[in-house]
């Protein structure tokens, strides 16, 4: 299975589903602008993709955040200042605005696991080898 993120124009293959460990994130680059996206798979197999940039620190670190839940909704806690974001809508559950006055909301990217096509190259910006394989799952989040 190949994990694909929709960049607004088309589905971009970014890695193999086997490259992901449940509960741990990876940073991927979307061409052509090398936009950083934090990609996660949770223990149930659901995929999530959000901007990797933490709106509170400005650092590209959200792929190192912690997955959790609040009131039954999947969340991501930033490793910097620990703000928690709802993965279903991207909003910060702790503060309404970032320090620069903009809304504290992460961009969410549509993500899916698709059948692997041998003609589809893996993202050269993310050349991880397969490790910790788990059951293949199909999931699409928007």
């Amino acid at each position: 299975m190949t994990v694909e993120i929709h960049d607004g124009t088309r589905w971009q293959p970014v890695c193999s589903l086997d490259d992901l460990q449940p509960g741990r994130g990876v940073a991927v680059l979307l061409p052509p602008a090398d936009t950083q996206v934090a990609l996660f798979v949770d223990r149930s197999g659901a995929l999530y993709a959000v901007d990797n940039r933490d709106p509170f620190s400005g650092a590209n670190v959200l792929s190192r955040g912690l997955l959790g839940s609040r009131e039954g909704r999947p969340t991501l806690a930033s490793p910097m200042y620990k703000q928690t974001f709802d993965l279903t809508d991207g909003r910060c559950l702790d503060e309404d605005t970032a320090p620069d006055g903009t809304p504290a909301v992460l961009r969410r990217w549509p993500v899916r696991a698709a059948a692997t096509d041998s003609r589809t190259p893996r993202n050269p910006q993310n050349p991880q080898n397969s490790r910790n394989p788990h059951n293949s799952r199909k999931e699409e989040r928007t």
Side-chain angles (χ1 to χ4, degrees):
M1 300 288 285
T2 300
V3 177
E4 299 175 335
I5 297 175
H6 199 277
D7 66 4
T9 304
R10 68 180 193 91
W11 289 100
Q12 297 280 351
V14 293
C15 67
S16 167
L17 185 59
D18 291 336
D19 290 336
L20 301 176
Q21 292 179 326
R24 304 199 64 183
V26 297
V28 297
L29 296 176
L30 287 184
D34 289 341
T35 302
Q36 288 196 30
V37 176
L39 177 62
F40 298 88
V41 63
D42 69 14
R43 285 174 173 51
S44 73
L47 291 164
Y48 301 97
V50 296
D51 279 338
N52 196 33
R53 185 180 176 277
D54 180 338
F56 292 91
S57 69
N60 289 308
V61 295
L62 291 178
S63 62
R64 295 176 181 257
L66 298 173
L67 291 186
S69 65
R70 191 181 287 181
E71 298 177 7
R73 297 174 68 96
T75 60
L76 171 63
S78 170
M80 294 299 287
Y81 301 126
K82 312 303 185 234
Q83 281 86 1
T84 301
F85 298 88
D86 185 326
L87 288 170
T88 63
D89 61 15
R91 69 186 170 86
C92 181
L93 300 176
D94 303 314
E95 300 181 50
D96 292 332
T97 57
D100 64 1
T102 61
V105 178
L106 300 176
R107 178 178 179 180
R108 293 177 313 114
W109 297 82
V111 60
R112 70 182 182 188
T116 302
D117 182 343
S118 61
R119 297 170 295 164
T120 303
R122 289 177 58 185
N123 185 340
Q125 298 296 326
N126 190 15
Q128 297 178 341
N129 292 325
S130 294
R131 62 186 192 286
N132 299 326
H134 46 72
N135 294 334
S136 296
R137 299 171 187 94
K138 280 193 176 183
E139 180 76 25
E140 183 172 329
R141 293 274 181 185
T142 56

